[in-house]
C-alpha cells in the first residue's frame, strides 16, 4: 500500500524540491551593480575676445547713375535730313560730335535776310550821321547859343543807331538758329536713347534722344540717420563698391561727396551720394567698367573707435553674450552695443581681453551650466565614468 502511495506522490515531491531549489538559487544571486549615469554636456564653439581700434563700416547699396545726363531737345523746327551713325543707343560720342541735322535752307535764307537788314540799317545810320553834320554847319551863325537837338537831327541819329542794334540782334538770332539745325553732343558720353528717325519733321522742344556723361558716376546710398555719427566727414570718406557676377566679386573705389540732407519720407533713411570718376575707363583703363544701371553693395569707411570688440551678430542676443569661464561654466553677461549691422556687432565695455565667448546656439542657457569646448578632450569624471557630450555646436 505504501509503495503505491509513494509512487503517486513522487511527481509532487519532485516539483516541490525544484521550487525550493529555485528559491534558494534566487536568494543567492547578487543584484546588478548600478552604474552612474554619464553627464551630457553641450559642445560649444568659442572665440577669444580681442580689443582693438576698429574702423566702423557702414553698409548700404544703390544703383549706379551718370552724374551728367541730358535730353537732346530741338531748338528749331524742320525736317531731319541727316542722322550720324553714332547716334544710336549704346554708342560713345565726344563733346561736339554731330549727331543729326535739320534741314537748314530756311534758316540760311533767314540769315541772308538778317545780313541785308543790318547792311541797310548801317547805311541809313551813315546817311543820318552825314545829315547831322550838314545841319550843324547850317545852324552855325544863325542863332546865338546852343542849337536845339532837333535842329541837329540828334533824335533821328538815335533812331538809326537803334535800328542798327536791332538788325545786329536779328543777325545774331539768325546765326544761332542756323547753328541749331546741327544737333551736337553736349559732352563726352553714352547714347542711351534716340527718339527720332530720318525724314521726320521736328518741332521745337521735341526730344530727340538722351546722352549720359561718361566722366562721373554717382550712387545714392541710404543709411539710417543715427549711423551718421560714425562718419568723420560727409565729404571725402572712402567707399568700396562691390558686385557679384557669376562666381566673381568685382570692386570699385568711390568717395562720398555730399549728403542730400533730408530724411526720406518713405523709408526714413538719409541718402549719401558717392562718386566714381571715369567709371567706364575711357581715360584710364579699368579691368571692369562700372556700368550705369548696375546694382552695387557699398561699404562706407567710418571713424575709428578704440577698445572695440567685434563679434558675429548671432553671438549677441538681446544685448547679452554667453561668456565661457575658465571652469567651462556659462555666464550670461549684458554688454553695451555701440553699433550692429547685418553681419557684425560692435561692443564697447563689459568684456575683458582673452575672455571666451560662445558662438554656438544652445537649447537653454543658464548661469553656471557646465559645457564642453569644441576640440577639447573629454575628461573622465570622479567615478571613472566617461562623460558623454551632446553636440550643440552650429
Amino acid at each position: 500500500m505504501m509503495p503505491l502511495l509513494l509512487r503517486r506522490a513522487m511527481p509532487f515531491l519532485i516539483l516541490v524540491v525544484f521550487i525550493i531549489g529555485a528559491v534558494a538559487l534566487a536568494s543567492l544571486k547578487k543584484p546588478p551593480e548600478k552604474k552612474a549615469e554619464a553627464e551630457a554636456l553641450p559642445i560649444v564653439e568659442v572665440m577669444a575676445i580681442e580689443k582693438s581700434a576698429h574702423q566702423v563700416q557702414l553698409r548700404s547699396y544703390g544703383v549706379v547713375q551718370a552724374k551728367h545726363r541730358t535730353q537732346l531737345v530741338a531748338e528749331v523746327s524742320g525736317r531731319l535730313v541727316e542722322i550720324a551713325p553714332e547716334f544710336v543707343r549704346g554708342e560713345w560720342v565726344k563733346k561736339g560730335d554731330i549727331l543729326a541735322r535739320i534741314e537748314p535752307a530756311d534758316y540760311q535764307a533767314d540769315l541772308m535776310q538778317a545780313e541785308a537788314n543790318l547792311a541797310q540799317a548801317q547805311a541809313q545810320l551813315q546817311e543820318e550821321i552825314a545829315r547831322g553834320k550838314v545841319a550843324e554847319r547850317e545852324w552855325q551863325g544863325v542863332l546865338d547859343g546852343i542849337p536845339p537837338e532837333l535842329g541837329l537831327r540828334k533824335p533821328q541819329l538815335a533812331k538809326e543807331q537803334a535800328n542798327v542794334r536791332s538788325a545786329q540782334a536779328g543777325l545774331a538770332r539768325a546765326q544761332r538758329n542756323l547753328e541749331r539745325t546741327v544737333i551736337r553732343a553736349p559732352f563726352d558720353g553714352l547714347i542711351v536713347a534716340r527718339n527720332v528717325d530720318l525724314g521726320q519733321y521736328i518741332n521745337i522742344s521735341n526730344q530727340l534722344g538722351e546722352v549720359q556723361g561718361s566722366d562721373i558716376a554717382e550712387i545714392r546710398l541710404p543709411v539710417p540717420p543715427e549711423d551718421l555719427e560714425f562718419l568723420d566727414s560727409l565729404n571725402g570718406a572712402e567707399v568700396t563698391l562691390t558686385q557679384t557676377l557669376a562666381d566673381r566679386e568685382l570692386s570699385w573705389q568711390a568717395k562720398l561727396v555730399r549728403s542730400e540732407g533730408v530724411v526720406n519720407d518713405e523709408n526714413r533713411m538719409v541718402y549719401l551720394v558717392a562718386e566714381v570718376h571715369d567709371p567706364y575707363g575711357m581715360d584710364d583703363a579699368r579691368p571692369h567698367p562700372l556700368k550705369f544701371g548696375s546694382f552695387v553693395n557699398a561699404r562706407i569707411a567710418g571713424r575709428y573707435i578704440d577698445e572695440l570688440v567685434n563679434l558675429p551678430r548671432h553671438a549677441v542676443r538681446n544685448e547679452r553674450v554667453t561668456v565661457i569661464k575658465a571652469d567651462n561654466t556659462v555666464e550670461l553677461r549684458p554688454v553695451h552695443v555701440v553699433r550692429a549691422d547685418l553681419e557684425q556687432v560692435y561692443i564697447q565695455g563689459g568684456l575683458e581681453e582673452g575672455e571666451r565667448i560662445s558662438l554656438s546656439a544652445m537649447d537653454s542657457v543658464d548661469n553656471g551650466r557646465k559645457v564642453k569646448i569644441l576640440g577639447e578632450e573629454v575628461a573622465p569624471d570622479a567615478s571613472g565614468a566617461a562623460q558623454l557630450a551632446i553636440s550643440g555646436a552650429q
Side-chain angles (χ1 to χ4, degrees):
M1 187 69 180
M2 286 299 293
L4 179 61
L5 292 175
L6 184 61
R7 285 196 303 269
R8 290 180 177 178
M10 186 61 68
F12 296 101
L13 293 176
I14 294 173
L15 180 59
V16 171
V17 170
F18 274 110
I19 292 174
I20 294 172
V23 172
L25 290 175
S27 64
L28 295 176
K29 184 178 180 181
K30 293 183 179 180
E33 183 179 353
K34 294 184 179 180
K35 296 184 178 180
E37 294 184 0
E39 182 182 4
L41 300 180
I43 299 176
V44 296
E45 181 183 0
V46 299
M47 66 171 289
I49 292 299
E50 294 181 2
K51 294 184 178 182
S52 62
H54 188 81
Q55 186 179 30
V56 177
Q57 299 283 334
L58 306 185
R59 296 183 180 272
S60 188
Y61 55 87
V63 177
V64 181
Q65 300 288 347
K67 182 177 182 179
H68 305 293
R69 46 186 174 178
T70 187
Q71 294 285 341
L72 300 173
V73 177
E75 297 180 85
V76 295
S77 60
R79 193 169 303 281
L80 206 61
V81 296
E82 181 183 341
I83 292 181
E86 296 79 17
F87 192 18
V88 291
R89 186 183 182 94
E91 283 288 341
W92 293 98
V93 293
K94 293 289 187 181
K95 181 179 180 179
D97 285 354
I98 296 177
L99 303 179
R101 195 186 303 271
I102 296 172
E103 187 174 18
D106 290 343
Y107 300 99
Q108 290 170 342
D110 291 344
L111 177 61
M112 294 174 63
Q113 182 66 50
E115 290 173 343
N117 292 341
L118 177 59
Q120 183 178 359
Q122 288 174 335
Q124 292 175 346
L125 175 61
Q126 294 300 322
E127 183 178 346
E128 189 57 43
I129 291 174
R131 288 176 181 173
K133 290 180 180 180
V134 172
E136 185 178 1
R137 286 195 299 268
E138 290 177 349
W139 279 97
Q140 289 178 355
V142 177
L143 293 175
D144 293 334
I146 300 174
E149 290 189 355
L150 183 61
L152 296 178
R153 300 188 64 86
K154 287 187 178 180
Q156 292 86 338
L157 177 62
K159 176 183 176 181
E160 296 302 332
Q161 289 173 336
N163 289 339
V164 169
R165 289 194 294 270
S166 177
Q168 289 173 337
L171 176 61
R173 186 181 303 109
Q175 289 173 334
R176 287 196 302 272
N177 286 341
L178 181 59
E179 292 172 357
R180 288 168 178 169
T181 61
V182 180
I183 312 301
R184 299 180 181 272
F187 40 70
D188 295 354
L190 178 68
I191 302 293
V192 297
R194 193 187 82 188
N195 306 326
V196 294
D197 211 340
L198 194 65
Q200 184 175 343
Y201 189 86
I202 306 300
N203 289 313
I204 295 176
S205 299
N206 277 165
Q207 293 186 357
L208 309 180
E210 183 179 350
V211 182
Q212 295 187 356
S214 60
D215 56 343
I216 300 176
E218 67 177 21
I219 307 95
R220 298 174 69 237
L221 304 172
V223 298
E226 58 271 18
D227 281 359
L228 296 181
E229 66 174 295
F230 297 109
L231 294 176
D232 288 326
S233 173
L234 295 177
N235 189 357
E238 295 288 339
V239 180
T240 300
L241 307 175
T242 59
Q243 182 186 67
T244 301
L245 293 178
D247 58 345
R248 296 182 302 169
E249 183 177 81
L250 309 181
S251 64
W252 301 267
Q253 293 302 311
K255 286 185 180 294
L256 281 187
V257 293
R258 68 182 185 277
S259 166
E260 293 187 354
V262 296
V263 177
N264 187 275
D265 291 337
E266 296 180 359
N267 57 15
R268 310 309 300 169
M269 294 284 191
V270 174
Y271 280 85
L272 307 180
V273 180
E275 289 186 353
V276 177
H277 288 267
D278 192 21
Y280 280 84
M282 306 299 290
D283 298 326
D284 298 320
R286 287 181 177 271
H288 302 286
L290 180 58
K291 297 180 180 179
F292 298 148
S294 300
F295 181 86
V296 293
N297 293 306
R299 296 194 305 272
I300 306 171
R303 60 186 177 89
Y304 283 89
I305 302 178
D306 294 330
E307 297 292 311
L308 204 63
V309 176
N310 182 15
L311 295 178
R313 187 179 181 90
H314 68 268
V316 183
R317 302 174 183 87
N318 300 322
E319 295 195 354
R320 296 191 304 175
V321 296
T322 304
V323 179
I324 308 301
K325 302 171 70 174
D327 60 354
N328 287 0
T329 57
V330 168
E331 177 191 350
L332 294 178
R333 186 179 301 174
V335 292
H336 173 56
V337 176
V338 176
R339 183 179 176 276
D341 56 32
L342 293 177
E343 299 178 1
Q344 303 293 322
V345 176
Y346 304 92
I347 295 172
Q348 192 173 44
L351 296 172
E352 298 298 330
E353 187 84 19
E355 284 190 308
R356 298 178 300 176
I357 299 296
S358 171
L359 301 180
S360 302
M362 293 182 285
D363 294 337
S364 62
V365 182
D366 301 315
N367 282 320
R369 182 179 183 182
K370 192 83 171 179
V371 296
K372 179 185 179 298
I373 307 303
L374 181 67
E376 287 186 353
E377 294 294 331
V378 179
D381 60 18
S383 65
Q387 291 180 333
L388 300 179
I390 299 176
S391 174
Q394 289 182 330

